[in-house]
Structures are given as C-alpha cells and as structure tokens.
PDB file of all heavy atoms in Angstrom:
ATOM      1  N   GLN X 247       0.853  -1.140   0.021  1.00 77.00           N
ATOM      2  CA  GLN X 247       0.087   0.002   0.016  1.00 77.00           C
ATOM      3  C   GLN X 247       0.854   1.228  -0.011  1.00 77.00           C
ATOM      4  O   GLN X 247       0.572   2.299   0.476  1.00 77.00           O
ATOM      5  CB  GLN X 247      -0.902   0.035   1.277  1.00 77.00           C
ATOM      6  CG  GLN X 247      -1.803  -1.216   1.385  1.00 77.00           C
ATOM      7  CD  GLN X 247      -2.656  -1.495   0.138  1.00 77.00           C
ATOM      8  OE1 GLN X 247      -3.186  -0.713  -0.475  1.00 77.00           O
ATOM      9  NE2 GLN X 247      -2.669  -2.722  -0.251  1.00 77.00           N
ATOM     10  N   GLY X 248       1.997   1.082  -0.630  1.00 62.00           N
ATOM     11  CA  GLY X 248       2.986   2.277  -0.578  1.00 62.00           C
ATOM     12  C   GLY X 248       2.505   3.392  -1.556  1.00 62.00           C
ATOM     13  O   GLY X 248       1.633   3.236  -2.386  1.00 62.00           O
ATOM     14  N   ALA X 249       2.975   4.506  -1.261  1.00 62.00           N
ATOM     15  CA  ALA X 249       2.722   5.821  -2.133  1.00 62.00           C
ATOM     16  C   ALA X 249       3.055   5.616  -3.569  1.00 62.00           C
ATOM     17  O   ALA X 249       3.961   4.851  -3.915  1.00 62.00           O
ATOM     18  CB  ALA X 249       3.444   6.932  -1.462  1.00 62.00           C
ATOM     19  N   THR X 250       2.239   6.173  -4.421  1.00 58.00           N
ATOM     20  CA  THR X 250       2.568   6.238  -5.900  1.00 58.00           C
ATOM     21  C   THR X 250       3.632   7.355  -6.245  1.00 58.00           C
ATOM     22  O   THR X 250       4.083   7.386  -7.337  1.00 58.00           O
ATOM     23  CB  THR X 250       1.280   6.524  -6.710  1.00 58.00           C
ATOM     24  OG1 THR X 250       0.640   7.678  -6.272  1.00 58.00           O
ATOM     25  CG2 THR X 250       0.326   5.299  -6.453  1.00 58.00           C
ATOM     26  N   THR X 251       3.908   8.193  -5.289  1.00 54.00           N
ATOM     27  CA  THR X 251       4.832   9.182  -5.537  1.00 54.00           C
ATOM     28  C   THR X 251       6.319   8.844  -5.092  1.00 54.00           C
ATOM     29  O   THR X 251       7.107   9.669  -4.789  1.00 54.00           O
ATOM     30  CB  THR X 251       4.472  10.490  -4.794  1.00 54.00           C
ATOM     31  OG1 THR X 251       4.364  10.234  -3.448  1.00 54.00           O
ATOM     32  CG2 THR X 251       3.115  10.982  -5.350  1.00 54.00           C
ATOM     33  N   ASN X 252       6.647   7.535  -5.140  1.00 55.00           N
ATOM     34  CA  ASN X 252       7.925   7.057  -4.565  1.00 55.00           C
ATOM     35  C   ASN X 252       9.051   6.992  -5.696  1.00 55.00           C
ATOM     36  O   ASN X 252       8.905   7.580  -6.737  1.00 55.00           O
ATOM     37  CB  ASN X 252       7.769   5.814  -3.805  1.00 55.00           C
ATOM     38  CG  ASN X 252       7.306   4.634  -4.634  1.00 55.00           C
ATOM     39  OD1 ASN X 252       7.398   4.727  -5.880  1.00 55.00           O
ATOM     40  ND2 ASN X 252       6.864   3.628  -3.977  1.00 55.00           N
ATOM     41  N   ILE X 253       9.917   6.179  -5.396  1.00 56.00           N
ATOM     42  CA  ILE X 253      11.173   6.159  -6.244  1.00 56.00           C
ATOM     43  C   ILE X 253      10.907   5.472  -7.607  1.00 56.00           C
ATOM     44  O   ILE X 253      11.958   5.436  -8.366  1.00 56.00           O
ATOM     45  CB  ILE X 253      12.214   5.303  -5.387  1.00 56.00           C
ATOM     46  CG1 ILE X 253      11.667   3.942  -4.915  1.00 56.00           C
ATOM     47  CG2 ILE X 253      12.787   6.151  -4.253  1.00 56.00           C
ATOM     48  CD1 ILE X 253      12.635   3.112  -4.235  1.00 56.00           C
ATOM     49  N   ASN X 254       9.735   4.988  -7.947  1.00 73.00           N
ATOM     50  CA  ASN X 254       9.495   4.310  -9.165  1.00 73.00           C
ATOM     51  C   ASN X 254       8.681   5.013 -10.120  1.00 73.00           C
ATOM     52  O   ASN X 254       7.987   4.356 -10.932  1.00 73.00           O
ATOM     53  CB  ASN X 254       8.960   2.877  -8.774  1.00 73.00           C
ATOM     54  CG  ASN X 254       9.910   2.068  -7.935  1.00 73.00           C
ATOM     55  OD1 ASN X 254      11.025   1.884  -8.294  1.00 73.00           O
ATOM     56  ND2 ASN X 254       9.458   1.742  -6.762  1.00 73.00           N
ATOM     57  N   GLN X 255       8.714   6.283 -10.181  1.00 79.00           N
ATOM     58  CA  GLN X 255       7.964   7.031 -11.124  1.00 79.00           C
ATOM     59  C   GLN X 255       8.663   6.873 -12.495  1.00 79.00           C
ATOM     60  O   GLN X 255       9.694   6.285 -12.603  1.00 79.00           O
ATOM     61  CB  GLN X 255       7.932   8.511 -10.804  1.00 79.00           C
ATOM     62  CG  GLN X 255       7.141   8.830  -9.523  1.00 79.00           C
ATOM     63  CD  GLN X 255       7.092  10.293  -9.247  1.00 79.00           C
ATOM     64  OE1 GLN X 255       8.055  10.992  -9.399  1.00 79.00           O
ATOM     65  NE2 GLN X 255       5.986  10.753  -8.632  1.00 79.00           N
ATOM     66  N   VAL X 256       8.035   7.379 -13.575  1.00 80.00           N
ATOM     67  CA  VAL X 256       8.491   7.153 -14.871  1.00 80.00           C
ATOM     68  C   VAL X 256       9.931   7.760 -14.979  1.00 80.00           C
ATOM     69  O   VAL X 256      10.102   8.923 -14.694  1.00 80.00           O
ATOM     70  CB  VAL X 256       7.576   7.737 -15.992  1.00 80.00           C
ATOM     71  CG1 VAL X 256       8.197   7.661 -17.355  1.00 80.00           C
ATOM     72  CG2 VAL X 256       6.218   7.218 -15.902  1.00 80.00           C
ATOM     73  N   HIS X 257      10.838   6.906 -15.544  1.00 81.00           N
ATOM     74  CA  HIS X 257      12.249   7.351 -15.656  1.00 81.00           C
ATOM     75  C   HIS X 257      12.922   6.412 -16.683  1.00 81.00           C
ATOM     76  O   HIS X 257      12.315   5.407 -17.103  1.00 81.00           O
ATOM     77  CB  HIS X 257      12.965   7.340 -14.327  1.00 81.00           C
ATOM     78  CG  HIS X 257      13.005   5.947 -13.687  1.00 81.00           C
ATOM     79  ND1 HIS X 257      11.987   5.257 -13.174  1.00 81.00           N
ATOM     80  CD2 HIS X 257      14.013   5.101 -13.638  1.00 81.00           C
ATOM     81  CE1 HIS X 257      12.348   4.092 -12.781  1.00 81.00           C
ATOM     82  NE2 HIS X 257      13.645   3.876 -13.140  1.00 81.00           N
ATOM     83  N   MET X 258      14.198   6.732 -16.981  1.00 81.00           N
ATOM     84  CA  MET X 258      15.038   5.904 -17.816  1.00 81.00           C
ATOM     85  C   MET X 258      16.384   5.823 -17.171  1.00 81.00           C
ATOM     86  O   MET X 258      16.650   6.674 -16.279  1.00 81.00           O
ATOM     87  CB  MET X 258      15.069   6.308 -19.251  1.00 81.00           C
ATOM     88  CG  MET X 258      15.647   7.638 -19.491  1.00 81.00           C
ATOM     89  SD  MET X 258      15.725   8.111 -21.179  1.00 81.00           S
ATOM     90  CE  MET X 258      17.371   8.359 -21.497  1.00 81.00           C
ATOM     91  N   HIS X 259      17.234   4.952 -17.622  1.00 86.00           N
ATOM     92  CA  HIS X 259      18.609   4.923 -17.068  1.00 86.00           C
ATOM     93  C   HIS X 259      19.509   5.292 -18.146  1.00 86.00           C
ATOM     94  O   HIS X 259      20.159   4.492 -18.857  1.00 86.00           O
ATOM     95  CB  HIS X 259      18.898   3.435 -16.592  1.00 86.00           C
ATOM     96  CG  HIS X 259      17.904   3.004 -15.582  1.00 86.00           C
ATOM     97  ND1 HIS X 259      18.057   1.776 -15.010  1.00 86.00           N
ATOM     98  CD2 HIS X 259      16.950   3.563 -14.908  1.00 86.00           C
ATOM     99  CE1 HIS X 259      17.061   1.553 -14.088  1.00 86.00           C
ATOM    100  NE2 HIS X 259      16.385   2.694 -14.027  1.00 86.00           N
ATOM    101  N   ASP X 260      19.689   6.614 -18.267  1.00 86.00           N
ATOM    102  CA  ASP X 260      20.500   7.156 -19.330  1.00 86.00           C
ATOM    103  C   ASP X 260      21.970   6.840 -19.092  1.00 86.00           C
ATOM    104  O   ASP X 260      22.435   6.444 -17.942  1.00 86.00           O
ATOM    105  CB  ASP X 260      20.350   8.635 -19.434  1.00 86.00           C
ATOM    106  CG  ASP X 260      20.705   9.404 -18.237  1.00 86.00           C
ATOM    107  OD1 ASP X 260      20.477   8.877 -17.138  1.00 86.00           O
ATOM    108  OD2 ASP X 260      21.088  10.544 -18.276  1.00 86.00           O
ATOM    109  N   ARG X 261      22.772   6.922 -20.081  1.00 89.00           N
ATOM    110  CA  ARG X 261      24.242   6.610 -20.110  1.00 89.00           C
ATOM    111  C   ARG X 261      24.510   5.085 -19.845  1.00 89.00           C
ATOM    112  O   ARG X 261      25.477   4.765 -19.224  1.00 89.00           O
ATOM    113  CB  ARG X 261      25.034   7.554 -19.272  1.00 89.00           C
ATOM    114  CG  ARG X 261      24.986   8.967 -19.665  1.00 89.00           C
ATOM    115  CD  ARG X 261      25.846   9.916 -18.866  1.00 89.00           C
ATOM    116  NE  ARG X 261      25.343   9.983 -17.535  1.00 89.00           N
ATOM    117  CZ  ARG X 261      24.435  10.807 -17.042  1.00 89.00           C
ATOM    118  NH1 ARG X 261      23.734  11.662 -17.924  1.00 89.00           N
ATOM    119  NH2 ARG X 261      24.086  10.872 -15.860  1.00 89.00           N
ATOM    120  N   ASN X 262      23.541   4.252 -20.145  1.00 93.00           N
ATOM    121  CA  ASN X 262      23.666   2.756 -20.090  1.00 93.00           C
ATOM    122  C   ASN X 262      23.037   2.118 -21.302  1.00 93.00           C
ATOM    123  O   ASN X 262      22.412   2.825 -22.057  1.00 93.00           O
ATOM    124  CB  ASN X 262      22.899   2.279 -18.848  1.00 93.00           C
ATOM    125  CG  ASN X 262      23.511   2.824 -17.566  1.00 93.00           C
ATOM    126  OD1 ASN X 262      24.536   2.400 -17.122  1.00 93.00           O
ATOM    127  ND2 ASN X 262      22.785   3.770 -16.877  1.00 93.00           N
ATOM    128  N   VAL X 263      23.450   0.869 -21.457  1.00 95.00           N
ATOM    129  CA  VAL X 263      22.932   0.183 -22.618  1.00 95.00           C
ATOM    130  C   VAL X 263      21.760  -0.716 -22.273  1.00 95.00           C
ATOM    131  O   VAL X 263      20.756  -0.719 -22.903  1.00 95.00           O
ATOM    132  CB  VAL X 263      24.157  -0.688 -23.263  1.00 95.00           C
ATOM    133  CG1 VAL X 263      23.566  -1.510 -24.443  1.00 95.00           C
ATOM    134  CG2 VAL X 263      25.278   0.249 -23.693  1.00 95.00           C
ATOM    135  N   LEU X 264      21.904  -1.535 -21.216  1.00 97.00           N
ATOM    136  CA  LEU X 264      20.874  -2.457 -20.656  1.00 97.00           C
ATOM    137  C   LEU X 264      20.524  -2.177 -19.329  1.00 97.00           C
ATOM    138  O   LEU X 264      21.387  -1.868 -18.530  1.00 97.00           O
ATOM    139  CB  LEU X 264      21.395  -3.821 -20.883  1.00 97.00           C
ATOM    140  CG  LEU X 264      21.594  -4.467 -22.329  1.00 97.00           C
ATOM    141  CD1 LEU X 264      22.279  -5.760 -22.324  1.00 97.00           C
ATOM    142  CD2 LEU X 264      20.321  -4.465 -23.049  1.00 97.00           C
ATOM    143  N   SER X 265      19.294  -2.493 -18.958  1.00 97.00           N
ATOM    144  CA  SER X 265      18.866  -2.436 -17.560  1.00 97.00           C
ATOM    145  C   SER X 265      18.183  -3.749 -17.313  1.00 97.00           C
ATOM    146  O   SER X 265      17.519  -4.360 -18.126  1.00 97.00           O
ATOM    147  CB  SER X 265      17.869  -1.325 -17.291  1.00 97.00           C
ATOM    148  OG  SER X 265      18.569  -0.057 -17.403  1.00 97.00           O
ATOM    149  N   CYS X 266      18.420  -4.256 -16.074  1.00 98.00           N
ATOM    150  CA  CYS X 266      17.691  -5.564 -15.651  1.00 98.00           C
ATOM    151  C   CYS X 266      17.105  -5.330 -14.324  1.00 98.00           C
ATOM    152  O   CYS X 266      17.551  -4.501 -13.556  1.00 98.00           O
ATOM    153  CB  CYS X 266      18.757  -6.656 -15.549  1.00 98.00           C
ATOM    154  SG  CYS X 266      19.508  -7.173 -17.082  1.00 98.00           S
ATOM    155  N   VAL X 267      16.010  -6.054 -14.072  1.00 98.00           N
ATOM    156  CA  VAL X 267      15.449  -6.123 -12.739  1.00 98.00           C
ATOM    157  C   VAL X 267      15.160  -7.510 -12.308  1.00 98.00           C
ATOM    158  O   VAL X 267      14.629  -8.332 -13.167  1.00 98.00           O
ATOM    159  CB  VAL X 267      14.188  -5.208 -12.712  1.00 98.00           C
ATOM    160  CG1 VAL X 267      13.077  -5.711 -13.669  1.00 98.00           C
ATOM    161  CG2 VAL X 267      13.631  -5.216 -11.189  1.00 98.00           C
ATOM    162  N   TYR X 268      15.516  -7.874 -11.120  1.00 98.00           N
ATOM    163  CA  TYR X 268      15.310  -9.223 -10.649  1.00 98.00           C
ATOM    164  C   TYR X 268      14.372  -9.124  -9.447  1.00 98.00           C
ATOM    165  O   TYR X 268      14.556  -8.356  -8.559  1.00 98.00           O
ATOM    166  CB  TYR X 268      16.551  -9.907 -10.168  1.00 98.00           C
ATOM    167  CG  TYR X 268      16.304 -11.206  -9.594  1.00 98.00           C
ATOM    168  CD1 TYR X 268      16.044 -12.318 -10.373  1.00 98.00           C
ATOM    169  CD2 TYR X 268      16.385 -11.457  -8.178  1.00 98.00           C
ATOM    170  CE1 TYR X 268      15.728 -13.579  -9.823  1.00 98.00           C
ATOM    171  CE2 TYR X 268      16.117 -12.708  -7.666  1.00 98.00           C
ATOM    172  CZ  TYR X 268      15.831 -13.764  -8.492  1.00 98.00           C
ATOM    173  OH  TYR X 268      15.570 -14.924  -7.940  1.00 98.00           O
ATOM    174  N   TYR X 269      13.279  -9.979  -9.448  1.00 98.00           N
ATOM    175  CA  TYR X 269      12.265  -9.901  -8.338  1.00 98.00           C
ATOM    176  C   TYR X 269      12.635 -11.001  -7.383  1.00 98.00           C
ATOM    177  O   TYR X 269      12.366 -12.289  -7.646  1.00 98.00           O
ATOM    178  CB  TYR X 269      10.870 -10.099  -8.929  1.00 98.00           C
ATOM    179  CG  TYR X 269      10.461  -8.975  -9.813  1.00 98.00           C
ATOM    180  CD1 TYR X 269      10.598  -9.006 -11.159  1.00 98.00           C
ATOM    181  CD2 TYR X 269      10.085  -7.766  -9.223  1.00 98.00           C
ATOM    182  CE1 TYR X 269      10.187  -7.909 -11.961  1.00 98.00           C
ATOM    183  CE2 TYR X 269       9.714  -6.668  -9.994  1.00 98.00           C
ATOM    184  CZ  TYR X 269       9.787  -6.744 -11.262  1.00 98.00           C
ATOM    185  OH  TYR X 269       9.437  -5.671 -12.114  1.00 98.00           O
ATOM    186  N   ALA X 270      13.112 -10.660  -6.222  1.00 98.00           N
ATOM    187  CA  ALA X 270      13.380 -11.573  -5.108  1.00 98.00           C
ATOM    188  C   ALA X 270      12.241 -11.872  -4.367  1.00 98.00           C
ATOM    189  O   ALA X 270      12.106 -12.972  -3.751  1.00 98.00           O
ATOM    190  CB  ALA X 270      14.504 -10.977  -4.226  1.00 98.00           C
ATOM    191  N   GLN X 271      11.207 -10.957  -4.243  1.00 98.00           N
ATOM    192  CA  GLN X 271       9.969 -11.186  -3.602  1.00 98.00           C
ATOM    193  C   GLN X 271       8.844 -10.393  -4.235  1.00 98.00           C
ATOM    194  O   GLN X 271       9.004  -9.152  -4.358  1.00 98.00           O
ATOM    195  CB  GLN X 271      10.135 -10.698  -2.089  1.00 98.00           C
ATOM    196  CG  GLN X 271       8.865 -10.954  -1.262  1.00 98.00           C
ATOM    197  CD  GLN X 271       9.184 -10.656   0.266  1.00 98.00           C
ATOM    198  OE1 GLN X 271       9.817 -11.454   0.826  1.00 98.00           O
ATOM    199  NE2 GLN X 271       8.676  -9.596   0.691  1.00 98.00           N
ATOM    200  N   ALA X 272       7.867 -11.098  -4.751  1.00 97.00           N
ATOM    201  CA  ALA X 272       6.793 -10.447  -5.594  1.00 97.00           C
ATOM    202  C   ALA X 272       5.566 -11.331  -5.376  1.00 97.00           C
ATOM    203  O   ALA X 272       5.499 -12.464  -5.656  1.00 97.00           O
ATOM    204  CB  ALA X 272       7.190 -10.382  -6.944  1.00 97.00           C
TER     205      ALA X 272
END
C-alpha cells in the first residue's frame, strides 16, 4: 500500500545500454 509518488515514477537509465530487474519477492 505504498505511495505512488515514490522512487519508481517514470524514468529511464541514461548513459547505459541495458537495464535488468530481478524480483526476489513479488
């Protein structure tokens, strides 16, 4: 029930080629 205004708003990871995300708990 976390806020929608947190660290995961729309963004990109500039100055990189690939991004990965691993879900350890979901």
